[in-house]
Amino acid sequence: MKRWFIAAMLVASTIAIGRAQEVPVPEFPPAKQSAAATKAQTPLKVQFVLSRYQGEKKLSSLPYMLGVLSNTGRQTSMRMGSAVPVMTTVFATTNKNEPNASAPMSSYNYRDVGTNIDCRADETTAGVYSLNITVEDSSIQADASGAAKAARDIPVFRRFNASFSMLLRDGQTMQYISVTDPVSGEVMKIDVTLNLAK
């Protein structure tokens, strides 16, 4: 009888100790969402028009349209262009016995030209969107003016970079960039139009 009672007391003590060692898991409040995530996400259509002028004459007008989702903190990116071969010539010795005997040897390296656009949109107040935009445009100088006259067989590359912010409403268009190429005298203009995607 005593042995049975002692065994029962040991089992009860072990269960009590095990319950005493159980530690409740604290409950943490849910993580706060960012301010951008709490706002409604609105699909937008943002159109860019890159135009070149020589005086009053329009030389080119290239439109690009990007679908941008506002209030995500992420940007929409576009990359369009070509890889242009650029020839490099070196002179190599053709005869080891005649060090002065050499012949030209040509090889090609490729250089990317085209247009890159990055755009992010955030709604600041009702119906007003803040656009953060980066535009990179590169091309080959088409005419023989300026620096191209010095070496007509060598391509002259033209590059334009711009980063800016603007506030637009639905249906609004704004011209934000107008710059002059110091070599060719051409004027580059960028027009941006915002529309709600329907």
Side-chain angles (χ1 to χ4, degrees):
M1 184 66 178
K2 290 183 179 181
R3 291 180 181 180
W4 177 86
F5 178 76
I6 293 173
M9 292 297 293
L10 289 175
V11 171
S13 299
T14 303
I15 294 174
I17 293 173
R19 289 178 178 176
Q21 291 178 349
E22 291 179 357
V23 179
V25 178
E27 296 183 359
F28 294 98
K32 294 183 179 179
Q33 295 182 342
S34 63
T38 58
K39 292 184 179 180
Q41 298 178 357
T42 305
L44 307 171
K45 291 194 300 183
V46 184
Q47 183 177 29
F48 302 84
V49 179
L50 279 61
S51 304
R52 292 185 181 276
Y53 292 81
Q54 188 71 57
E56 298 297 327
K57 180 182 178 182
K58 180 183 287 189
L59 303 178
S60 65
S61 180
L62 299 176
Y64 303 92
M65 197 281 290
L66 274 66
V68 182
L69 190 61
S70 69
N71 303 325
T72 63
R74 299 178 181 177
Q75 66 182 16
T76 298
S77 299
M78 185 218 70
R79 304 288 183 264
M80 175 174 287
S82 303
V84 177
V86 180
M87 186 175 65
T88 302
T89 302
V90 297
F91 288 86
T93 302
T94 57
N95 191 338
K96 294 182 180 180
N97 297 325
E98 297 181 13
N100 294 328
S102 60
M105 299 182 63
S106 299
S107 61
Y108 290 89
N109 295 319
Y110 285 84
R111 178 166 177 170
D112 293 330
V113 297
T115 304
N116 302 331
I117 300 177
D118 299 315
C119 180
R120 192 187 73 198
D122 296 294
E123 188 173 11
T124 56
T125 57
V128 180
Y129 296 89
S130 172
L131 302 180
N132 295 289
I133 300 167
T134 299
V135 178
E136 298 179 1
D137 183 75
S138 59
S139 59
I140 300 176
Q141 190 84 17
D143 57 8
S145 63
K149 288 183 178 179
R152 295 182 180 179
D153 295 333
I154 300 176
V156 176
F157 292 92
R158 169 172 50 196
R159 187 177 64 179
F160 167 81
N161 296 335
S163 296
F164 54 95
S165 300
M166 59 198 315
L167 295 174
L168 290 178
R169 295 179 179 272
D170 180 27
Q172 188 176 5
T173 299
M174 182 180 294
Q175 186 177 102
Y176 206 83
I177 294 291
S178 180
V179 294
T180 303
D181 189 320
V183 176
S184 65
E186 294 180 7
V187 178
M188 162 77 90
K189 297 181 180 181
I190 299 180
D191 295 270
V192 182
T193 303
L194 173 71
N195 291 106
L196 297 179
K198 300 178 181 179

